[in-house]
Amino acid sequence: MKVKQVGDQREIEVAIAARDGATVHARIDGIDVIAQLEPLPDGGAILQIDGRRIRIAGARTRNSILVAAGPASFEFVPVEGRAGASRHGLAAPEVTAPMPGKILKLIVAEGDHVEHGQALAVLEAMKMETTLYAESAATVKKIRVSVGDMVDHGAVIIEFSPAPADPSKSESPAPDA
Amino acid sequence: MECRGHDAYGRLPQSVKPRTIKKLLVANRGEIALRIIRSARVLGIKTVAVYSEADAGAAHVAAADEARPIGPPDPGRSYLNIDAIIGAASAAGADAIHPGYGFLSERPEFASATDAHGMIFVGPPAAVMAALGDKVAARRIAIDAGVPVVPGLDTVDASDLATARGFAASAGFPVLVKAAAGGGGRGMRVVNEAAGLAAGLEAAAREAQAAFGDGRVFLEKYLARPRHIEIQLLGDHHGTVVALGERECSIQRRHQKLIEESPAPGLSSAMRTRIIEAALKLARAAGYRNAGTAEFLVDGDNFYFLEINARLQVEHPVTELRFGCDLVVEQLRIAAGERVTEPAAPRGAAIECRINAEDAAHDFRPAIGRVIKLGLPAGPGVRIDTHLGVGAEVSPYYDSLVAKLICYGADREQSRARMAAALGEFSLLGINNTAAFLRDVVASPAFARADLSTRFLEENFPHWTAAGADLTAALIAAALVAGGNLDSGRAGAGTAAANSTRNESDGVDGRTPWTELAGFELWGQR
């Protein structure tokens, strides 16, 4: 998979090529890395790389992968932009609040067809307005909030269903965010 | 938890329980609210926490003897709402209020309101606070007391360029334009040459007017590589003021302190004595009471008064470890009318690192989130003050400080080595934070040499990113997570139950884009 750190432009390709017991063969931007993985009972693990033992922990959120490696903390966002068959051309099945805040404006209505990059809603957080945009063409299936609602980080704001089939676009990759 | 591993800790000057404080309202949140509650409890004082809607599940709420809601998450309507807090204190039958730091701690009107409702304000009197809160007035107090201030011009009318030019010519460029009502680096401008003076004055005045509703500015000589050194003070109601040594706070980023230590490395005892005497003179001249800190800039053999912070400082634990005292206990004793006594001689060395919810690799932008997994350091000489626990949320409404790590050692090198090791043990999954950055700073040769100035980070760490091995490990971890082979939010018998209801990674109906979709993109612009 291809990832980048939130806030970074640099994309990094990383894959687990093989696992052989505790030995993990990873490939990072074309370079092979061999690491020893020792799971820990607390849900984390130790990774031994080049003789260094680094404690790791990781979890998914809706939009990213969070990782702690030693004291270092990372948020990775996958950047595979291709519209895979299993998601029917949707970049994600819903829009969630990127931070806690108040819904200031809903720009679309249920049943609307939206295009990639179209503004959907405006959220007020940290005294700033943040506009949420569509990342792919879709149909608004359900709006789960009303104007004035306070929403939590990760709360679902809008649910989508796939956009009506458009033969001219079905094979083309979705543009990257 | 207060002071693990420090055997000299726990000294209290032949004190008895305060006579008049039975119930204390803590008008704050986060680590400092928790820290104040702990000290009050040791003295047998009942505690009342206050909380906004965003903090209903916070650690300080659980720790207090009772807790009262004071309003919505927006601090202007909760933690800065004097009426709501005074109302909560009266309803709870509190007889004293501790403001902590930040929020209302330096608002004279809050101290007055507390007074007016017959409660004890744990801090200086409102009038003293008001005088010291104005930087120009504080400079005058210092000048009258014979304490050196940075060469400057007390007030400048932005249109009176001739006077400003005259000062700049005699002091030499660069000069610094500062807001009289300023704080936190706002309303501050460095002017490097005569041609930029008019624009600098106007910009600072405009910024000050917008930020503080007070456009008065003044001019100071700009010091190239100063050190920031401050003196801890305690004053009682009987006119006695004592000093508890100094703290070096030169490691700053945009005027925000990140690492503090005591003693100040390499400071001669003659210089230390001179600065402490100046601080005591100032505090006496101002009629100072309770805990406060006099801040100075040190430039070669000269030192200059900056300001007095009329409250407990974030970095106070550094002093506590060296002096074997509890400054919150001292504050409560003073507030109850007891006398301060000369402190015992300090020993050893202590360093504090502020771990913030910020992304150090990306211009320190604020991070938010929920704690999924937390590993805290321990060991001899290691103290950690934090309100974090699994499930705790860092919201966008408040300060980014999530933990203070304080290490004590027999000398600076021992405390530095303990700090580097302890930061290496710190592990927080769920919120981007500055622990790895701080570890690299503490482990650096420049910090080990104590080559300190307020420009330290600009000079030594202009563009920090995570080290190679950590990034490699993190990328492999991310691939393991994506493949379903690592999930620290779910696994772990001890934390599974605590996580089950609030963990974001569970998603709605256990369904996430990750399980359903082959690939995915981020929604919205971050």
Side-chain angles (χ1 to χ4, degrees):
Chain A
M1 72 172 173
K2 199 178 265 184
V3 296
K4 62 182 181 188
Q5 283 187 61
V6 170
D8 254 11
Q9 292 309 310
R10 183 183 160 214
E11 297 179 359
I12 307 172
E13 182 77 42
V14 58
I16 307 293
R19 273 188 75 174
D20 175 15
T23 305
V24 175
H25 297 266
R27 206 171 162 78
I28 299 173
D29 277 344
I31 296 167
D32 289 318
V33 181
I34 297 177
Q36 303 297 317
L37 179 70
E38 307 162 32
L40 295 172
D42 67 357
I46 301 279
L47 261 188
Q48 190 173 324
I49 306 172
D50 292 338
R52 265 193 68 192
R53 301 179 87 230
I54 299 170
R55 188 181 277 262
I56 58 166
R60 288 169 177 172
T61 70
R62 288 193 163 275
N63 298 327
S64 64
I65 293 176
L66 300 174
V67 170
S73 48
F74 300 84
E75 184 172 8
F76 294 109
V77 187
V79 287
E80 287 167 301
R82 288 185 186 281
S86 63
R87 58 177 167 161
H88 312 291
L90 284 178
E94 56 216 11
V95 174
T96 59
M99 58 186 76
K102 188 163 108 184
I103 301 291
L104 279 190
K105 206 191 272 185
L106 287 164
I107 300 164
V108 295
E110 288 179 8
D112 281 6
H113 172 72
V114 297
E115 292 297 337
H116 173 264
Q118 187 173 333
L120 303 170
V122 180
L123 181 73
E124 184 190 57
M126 299 160 120
K127 304 218 164 115
M128 283 178 355
E129 294 184 10
T130 302
T131 304
L132 307 178
Y133 298 93
E135 288 289 327
S136 64
T139 301
V140 177
K141 187 165 108 190
K142 191 164 176 51
I143 295 180
R144 300 255 289 244
V145 297
S146 309
V147 170
D149 282 2
M150 290 298 299
V151 293
D152 215 348
H153 179 210
V156 175
I157 294 171
I158 294 171
E159 285 178 36
F160 290 116
S161 52
D166 179 349
S168 69
K169 286 186 181 174
S170 60
E171 293 306 312
S172 63
D176 275 358
Chain B
M1 182 105 182
E2 283 293 331
C3 181
R4 281 183 272 171
H6 187 269
D7 53 10
Y9 200 69
R11 174 199 69 96
L12 288 179
Q14 59 278 38
S15 80
V16 289
K17 279 184 189 176
R19 287 150 295 170
T20 52
I21 302 178
K22 292 192 175 66
K23 199 177 211 184
L24 177 73
L25 181 130
V26 181
N28 217 297
R29 63 179 301 282
E31 67 87 18
I32 193 61
L34 198 52
R35 190 250 166 282
I36 293 164
I37 289 166
R38 286 183 172 133
S39 288
R41 181 157 295 146
V42 168
L43 292 174
I45 298 172
K46 293 281 184 207
T47 52
V48 184
V50 292
Y51 62 97
S52 74
E53 284 160 20
D55 276 340
H60 73 281
V61 174
D65 293 306
E66 63 180 279
R68 290 178 179 261
I70 47 166
D74 175 3
R77 297 165 67 194
S78 49
Y79 297 107
L80 290 171
N81 183 341
I82 293 177
D83 291 343
I85 291 172
I86 296 285
S90 302
D95 45 28
I97 296 180
H98 195 306
Y101 54 68
F103 292 128
L104 294 170
S105 62
E106 292 185 276
R107 295 275 185 90
E109 61 270 32
F110 184 51
S112 305
T114 306
D115 239 22
H117 285 79
M119 293 178 279
I120 298 170
F121 181 77
V122 183
V128 173
M129 206 187 270
L132 294 173
D134 184 311
K135 290 192 177 185
V136 171
R139 259 176 84 92
R140 293 236 172 85
I141 295 173
I143 292 166
D144 292 346
V147 171
V149 297
V150 180
L153 204 55
D154 271 2
T155 40
V156 194
D157 183 340
S159 59
D160 181 10
L161 265 179
T163 312
R165 284 216 178 95
F167 164 76
S170 66
F173 283 96
V175 295
L176 188 62
V177 190
K178 284 168 111 173
R186 283 184 298 179
M188 232 189 245
R189 279 284 185 293
V190 179
V191 178
N192 289 307
E193 49 181 15
L197 196 55
L201 282 170
E202 273 170 34
R206 205 167 45 232
E207 210 171 294
Q209 182 66 43
F212 314 110
D214 178 350
R216 286 177 305 138
V217 294
F218 63 103
L219 271 179
E220 269 183 12
K221 180 167 174 48
Y222 184 67
L223 305 174
R225 270 184 110 252
R227 290 166 67 177
H228 176 120
I229 292 178
E230 60 187 31
I231 306 296
Q232 176 67 53
L233 299 164
L234 287 176
D236 66 19
H237 291 248
H238 314 280
T240 306
V241 185
V242 301
L244 284 83
E246 83 280 15
R247 291 184 291 257
E248 163 110 38
C249 311
S250 295
I251 310 282
Q252 305 182 352
R253 188 185 163 274
R254 294 192 185 159
H255 305 285
Q256 301 289 322
K257 299 165 188 167
L258 295 185
I259 301 177
E260 305 96 350
E261 60 181 296
S262 184
L267 189 72
S268 72
S269 60
M271 188 73 162
R272 176 176 297 112
T273 305
R274 283 169 60 204
I275 300 176
I276 286 176
E277 277 172 5
L280 288 171
K281 240 195 291 187
L282 255 170
R284 286 172 189 140
Y288 200 79
R289 232 188 276 158
N290 215 288
T293 295
E295 298 190 329
F296 297 88
L297 288 179
V298 176
D299 188 28
D301 288 332
N302 297 312
F303 69 92
Y304 308 102
F305 168 70
L306 267 186
E307 60 181 330
I308 287 188
N309 288 318
R311 55 174 164 82
L312 191 67
Q313 300 274 95
V314 174
E315 60 271 25
H316 74 274
V318 159
T319 299
E320 294 183 326
L321 294 194
R322 283 193 74 223
F323 282 83
C325 66
D326 179 330
L327 286 172
V328 174
V329 166
E330 299 297 328
Q331 285 191 292
L332 294 169
R333 292 180 57 245
I334 291 167
E338 291 189 38
R339 288 172 184 277
V340 297
T341 50
E342 276 299 327
R347 26 180 286 171
I351 304 176
E352 172 183 277
C353 283
R354 301 189 190 186
I355 301 174
N356 290 335
E358 289 167 2
D359 186 349
H362 300 104
D363 204 30
F364 291 84
R365 55 185 211 167
I368 55 173
R370 190 166 277 148
V371 179
I372 299 169
K373 195 167 175 299
L374 180 65
L376 296 179
V382 177
R383 162 175 166 180
I384 188 150
D385 283 17
T386 181
H387 55 293
L388 290 189
V390 169
E393 190 168 359
V394 171
S395 74
Y397 303 108
Y398 312 115
D399 195 81
S400 63
L401 179 69
V402 291
K404 302 189 313 205
L405 181 56
I406 314 102
C407 289
Y408 175 84
D411 55 24
R412 183 177 193 263
E413 192 44 35
Q414 188 179 43
S415 100
R416 191 184 73 85
R418 282 175 171 168
M419 179 60 80
L423 284 166
E425 276 183 44
F426 183 86
S427 164
L428 168 53
L429 178 67
I431 301 158
N432 269 356
N433 66 84
T434 56
F437 166 76
L438 293 166
R439 177 203 53 187
D440 289 358
V441 172
V442 169
S444 70
F447 187 80
R449 282 197 310 273
D451 182 12
L452 303 173
S453 86
T454 53
R455 314 265 182 273
F456 181 92
L457 292 180
E458 288 161 50
E459 289 171 0
N460 296 285
F461 291 86
H463 301 290
W464 179 88
T465 51
D470 285 344
L471 179 59
T472 302
L475 285 163
I476 295 174
L480 290 167
V481 170
N485 293 308
L486 179 68
D487 186 350
S488 310
R490 268 165 223 269
T495 57
N499 268 328
S500 61
T501 53
R502 304 203 72 186
N503 194 340
E504 280 173 46
S505 67
D506 286 342
V508 177
D509 310 327
R511 185 176 58 87
T512 79
W514 296 93
T515 51
E516 278 191 357
L517 305 170
F520 100 130
E521 286 165 56
L522 181 62
W523 286 89
Q525 317 224 313
R526 307 205 37 161

